[in-house]
Amino acid sequence: MGTQPHTDQPSVRDLLRLPVGGPADLAALPTDTTPGFDGGKAEEKEREKEKKDRKQRAAANTAALGRRLARLQERLYAAGTAGDRRRLLLVLQGMDTSGKGGTVKHVVGHFNPAGCRIRAFKAPTEAERAHHFLWRVDRSLPQAGEVGIFDRSHYEDVLVPRVHGLVPEPVWQRRYREINAWEQMLADDGVTFVKVFLHIGFEEQRERLLARLDRPRKHWKFSPDDLTERARWPDYQEAYAAALGHCSSAAAPWYVVPADRKWYRNWAVSRLLLETFEQLDPQYPSGTFDAERTRARLLAE
């Protein structure tokens, strides 16, 4: 029997999905709201409680979602061993400190690593620059039955080059069309995309950068270049809005997750994945042997 979607909560995919083919007005989307988590009587009471209590409740809720995700991931992996080509790709994008690594740790940590492919994309190497910009991404895609997680992704190639003027405008403009065609091809071949933009506020980023400076054990995460990039905040917001607007399609929609509250970020991404898995509804494959005869043989030893 397949997993039936839960209807006690609104669909987070519907709440956070960007319109297909429309512009992305990031300035009009708050970074500190909690869509889908504060919509009912229980959540109304939750707003009246202390912040610590709400975090604890959200953490417990996320952990429960994680257990359901783990079972569905196992079914996807099992189906892949029997020829089901479907796989899921979680793409995480966002400004520095928006929580890409934290999302991987707290949400994807519920999965069995044997069925996951996690890739953090940095600046392309000299060898990677010798190829088409999608070449290194294509090599990191999940195989049948797997869950892929991209910490940054092919979208870096329409963000950093645009903001820093590394390539002419016609080049990064053309890349939008190439990305859409590539994602459509993969969707037709069984890849289900969950593309998440972690939408953090300017002041929240400042607080998180200061927190890194205040804790010596976090200094490895900080670079003076972070401040250089922060100074280009308006340019990056414009570049992100363009990328999300040009590349939110029916086959590979974008979801904008308000990321000022870490607990909500983890919960929302977990819900997005769960709703996607429930729609896929992977099934354990049937055995190719007679279970009763095999059991009788073992008992007869």
Side-chain angles (χ1 to χ4, degrees), residues 66 69-70 73 88 107-114 116 147 149 273 277:
L69 279 169
Q73 183 220 1
L88 187 147
V107 177
V108 185
H110 295 294
F111 290 145
N112 184 337
C116 291
V147 175
I149 303 98
L273 289 171
F277 262 116

Side-chain angles (χ1 to χ4, degrees), residues 6 12 20 34 53 56 59 77 97 106 119 150 157 159 174 203 245 254-255 262 266 268 282 298:
H6 293 259
V12 173
V20 173
T34 59
D53 292 336
Q56 291 174 341
Y77 187 78
T97 77
H106 292 287
R119 172 71 188 273
F150 285 175
D157 292 288
L159 296 168
R174 183 182 69 241
E203 290 304 317
W254 272 105
Y255 301 95
K262 296 178 182 180
N266 295 339
L298 281 171

Side-chain angles (χ1 to χ4, degrees), residues 126-178:
E126 183 176 350
E128 289 170 341
R129 286 195 299 269
H131 295 270
H132 187 274
F133 78 97
L134 290 172
W135 177 80
R136 65 173 182 160
V137 187
D138 203 68
R139 289 159 55 91
S140 301
L141 288 170
Q143 300 299 304
E146 292 182 338
V147 175
I149 303 98
F150 285 175
D151 178 346
R152 302 187 189 273
S153 67
H154 44 298
Y155 284 93
E156 291 297 297
D157 292 288
V158 292
L159 296 168
V160 177
R162 170 176 174 158
V163 170
H164 289 272
L166 301 181
V167 298
E169 180 175 346
V171 173
W172 52 258
Q173 287 279 7
R174 183 182 69 241
R175 287 177 178 175
Y176 297 138
R177 298 190 297 274
E178 293 176 324

Side-chain angles (χ1 to χ4, degrees), residues 168-226:
E169 180 175 346
V171 173
W172 52 258
Q173 287 279 7
R174 183 182 69 241
R175 287 177 178 175
Y176 297 138
R177 298 190 297 274
E178 293 176 324
I179 287 173
N180 285 335
W182 181 73
E183 289 180 347
Q184 182 65 60
M185 176 190 68
L186 292 174
D188 292 341
D189 192 43
V191 175
T192 295
F193 286 90
V194 180
K195 299 189 303 188
V196 174
F197 174 63
L198 300 175
H199 192 25
I200 188 174
F202 187 69
E203 290 304 317
E204 179 64 21
Q205 189 199 56
R206 178 177 179 272
E207 294 303 313
R208 293 186 187 182
L209 288 172
L210 286 171
R212 289 182 180 181
L213 289 173
D214 292 341
R215 300 174 184 174
R217 65 186 180 88
K218 295 288 187 179
H219 284 181
W220 67 275
K221 286 188 170 185
F222 185 86
S223 167
D225 291 339
D226 294 341

